[in-house]
Amino acid sequence: MTETESIAYDVVVLGAGPVGENVADRTRAAGLTTAVVESELVGGECSYWACMPSKALLRPVIAQADARRLPGLEQAVQGPLETAAVLARRDDYTSHWQDDGQIRWLEGIGADLYRGRGRLAGPRTVTVTGPDGTVTTLTARHAVAVCTGTGARLPQLPGLDGVEPWTSREATSAEAAPGRLIVVGGGVVATEMATAWQALGSRVTLLVRGKGLLSRMEPFAGELVAEALAEAGVDVRTGTSVESVSRENGTVVAVTGAGDRVEADEILFATGRAPRTADIGLDTVGLEPGSWLDVDDSLRVTGTDWLYAVGDVNHRALLTHQGKYQARIAGAAIAARATGAEPPEEPWGAHAATADHHAVPQVVFTDPEAAAVGLSLAEAEQAGHRVRAVDVEFSSVAGAGLYGDGYTGRARMVVDLEEEILRGVTFVGPGVGELIHSATVAVAGRVPVGRLWHAVPSYPTLSEVWLRLLEAYRDN
């Protein structure tokens, strides 16, 4: 092992995924010298094993489903998807798991990339062990930002070690569709991957411990998605736990709590995420290895004046777009503090990630899509708000019928009865992912319900659901 001399930067970023890239972008824009450390691929989980490959797999599935709702196209798209072509397009969107383009982008903003395993080695100090064993020490004049994200969390199950289970990484990068696939879980990864692989030729069994799918959304979201998955051929089993797994002559066997044996060629566990903080030297700065990192709204780690935790590692909102938002806030705060000034802490200001508490949007790219922002009805009530839920069916909107015959979907807005603003909005239906930003603007902007009457939706579009929601609120 060879150790080099210490190199000083204004900012050192651990992790070169979308979050780390955005922190670096903002600090470089402020004129701060910035080093970025990455042990895998520049671009991170989202670019190679999550957002991009999963949506590349799902887009042909959704396009075919939409086409089947339209006379004139319905008969033309009845055959199976060309799985090899879908996987090839997926590979293009991951740049074939090469990060040359992302490296060029980092170089273009003037950040320095260090390949290797980065670890904290005391306050404002990071050591990087390169692929050849060389150790480089980086010191930060102003800030170190931990942007290492999360990894799949596997349950403690008898036999799991011998099964070689899929996680989200294997599910999004597989080279072929397994004949039979067990998916364990009921959240976003589970429902999206069940949607994709069923359409690409696998026979999918979805085993869900809870009562339904997408438990963090309004109940009707999971209900509509479950119905559609079952109609597509997925064997959806709720209230079903997995007690043990084994691989017998190449076949995976999952034994449920009821004693049933479910057989498949592969098994995917989509059972949550864990922070990638176990081996980044947290103990050298008085923090617990493997823990989530608590932060204030400027993304600074509690009890420090130099350490920031941005993105999934702080457990505020495990979403790429929200992590990038946090990165923009953190970058601005680091830049302000580098001048010796303490940035103002007012909510919704340039240095506070207020949206993490009030206006987090998410889209689940199943068929139908499920999209939500802000609080669900139950969450709003638990938070002590006096609210009312207003529901409408998309069948009342002309644009839905034009979108496709038999369009099925539902919308809900949660209205704060005291402030007359929206606490949350949920849409379920084909194509609603493109609607959710309008709801995000309404929730984040605290737009009064009375003013929303003057935001006129174009006819005939899906956006007319807003008019139906407002009418239902007024008339009841």
Side-chain angles (χ1 to χ4, degrees):
M1 181 181 296
T2 304
E3 187 164 354
T4 66
E5 61 181 312
S6 177
I7 305 172
Y9 288 88
D10 292 325
V11 180
V12 177
V13 179
L14 280 180
V19 175
E21 288 177 326
N22 274 267
V23 172
D25 186 42
R26 292 298 83 212
T27 56
R28 284 298 302 130
L32 301 178
T33 59
T34 302
V36 180
V37 182
E38 177 54 55
S39 61
E40 293 187 287
L41 295 177
V42 176
E45 198 80 11
C46 174
S47 298
Y48 305 104
W49 300 287
C51 314
M52 297 306 291
S54 66
K55 301 323 170 269
L57 290 173
L58 286 159
R59 179 60 197 144
V61 177
I62 302 305
Q64 183 184 53
D66 285 342
R68 285 175 173 172
R69 298 183 178 101
L70 295 171
L73 275 176
E74 181 182 6
Q75 294 304 316
V77 294
Q78 284 303 315
L81 289 168
E82 187 180 338
T83 301
V86 174
L87 297 181
R89 184 171 184 265
R90 183 271 318 270
D91 294 350
D92 288 342
Y93 269 89
T94 61
S95 301
H96 298 266
W97 291 275
Q98 300 294 318
D99 61 1
D100 302 35
Q102 302 272 16
I103 292 172
R104 286 193 295 272
W105 181 87
L106 269 184
E107 292 172 344
I109 66 170
D112 291 345
L113 173 65
Y114 289 83
R115 293 276 199 184
R117 178 71 62 184
R119 298 185 83 254
L120 293 166
R124 293 185 171 85
T125 304
V126 172
T127 59
V128 184
T129 304
D132 62 355
T134 299
V135 177
T136 302
T137 300
L138 307 176
T139 59
R141 299 183 187 94
H142 300 297
V144 174
V146 176
C147 308
T148 49
T150 59
R153 185 180 66 224
L154 290 170
Q156 298 295 317
L157 279 180
L160 188 63
D161 291 344
V163 168
E164 297 183 346
W166 279 12
T167 67
S168 54
R169 285 198 170 193
E170 290 77 18
T172 55
S173 62
E175 297 180 356
R180 300 166 298 172
L181 175 65
I182 297 169
V183 179
V184 182
V188 178
V189 172
T191 54
E192 288 188 349
M193 290 299 93
T195 299
W197 288 111
Q198 178 71 28
L200 291 171
S202 300
R203 286 187 304 154
V204 176
T205 302
L206 184 59
L207 305 180
V208 186
R209 179 185 294 271
K211 296 179 180 179
L213 307 182
L214 303 176
S215 60
R216 295 187 179 183
M217 287 186 163
E218 299 284 8
F220 67 82
E223 292 166 4
L224 291 173
V225 169
E227 290 171 8
L229 283 171
E231 186 176 346
V234 176
D235 181 0
V236 181
R237 306 185 191 183
T238 58
T240 302
S241 63
V242 176
E243 300 301 320
S244 67
V245 290
S246 61
R247 192 178 284 273
E248 303 171 6
N249 298 319
T251 297
V252 175
V253 179
V255 179
T256 72
D260 296 329
R261 287 168 53 93
V262 184
E263 297 185 354
D265 300 290
E266 301 291 349
I267 185 167
L268 162 63
F269 282 91
T271 49
R273 309 288 294 179
R276 288 198 179 111
T277 60
D279 189 30
I280 62 167
L282 290 183
D283 54 307
T284 69
V285 294
L287 297 170
E288 182 182 350
S291 65
W292 302 101
L293 297 176
D294 293 329
V295 297
D296 61 20
D297 274 359
S298 71
L299 291 311
R300 188 168 54 178
V301 173
T302 304
T304 76
D305 63 0
W306 60 274
L307 184 62
Y308 292 73
V310 193
D312 284 8
V313 291
N314 60 42
H315 207 233
R316 286 163 67 109
L318 277 64
L319 296 160
T320 295
H321 50 270
Q322 210 68 21
K324 291 165 71 173
Y325 159 74
Q326 292 177 10
R328 297 190 290 271
I329 299 294
I334 291 168
R337 289 174 178 138
T339 68
E342 183 60 30
E345 299 180 0
E346 73 268 20
W348 304 110
H351 309 97
T354 312
D356 286 350
H357 308 297
H358 303 289
V360 175
Q362 181 174 21
V363 179
V364 185
F365 293 86
T366 46
D367 178 40
E369 292 176 346
V373 63
L375 303 178
S376 67
L377 175 61
E379 289 170 339
E381 290 175 339
Q382 289 167 6
H385 301 298
R386 191 166 69 87
V387 293
R388 190 178 115 213
V390 180
D391 294 353
V392 298
E393 300 295 323
F394 268 96
S395 57
S396 64
V397 178
L402 289 169
Y403 191 99
D405 290 355
Y407 187 108
T408 300
R410 188 177 304 167
R412 166 174 288 181
M413 66 180 189
V414 178
V415 182
D416 187 308
L417 297 175
E418 295 178 353
E419 298 190 47
E420 285 279 305
I421 59 172
L422 304 185
R423 292 292 177 183
V425 180
T426 299
F427 300 128
V428 182
V432 299
E434 297 300 336
L435 276 181
I436 200 59
H437 192 61
S438 60
T440 303
V441 171
V443 174
R446 297 172 62 85
V447 180
V449 172
R451 180 59 62 87
L452 287 174
W453 274 106
H454 301 282
V456 182
S458 299
Y459 180 86
T461 67
L462 291 175
S463 292
E464 275 204 303
V465 74
W466 279 108
L467 178 57
R468 300 292 168 255
L469 285 165
L470 292 167
E471 288 172 338
Y473 178 66
R474 177 198 62 191
D475 296 340
N476 293 286

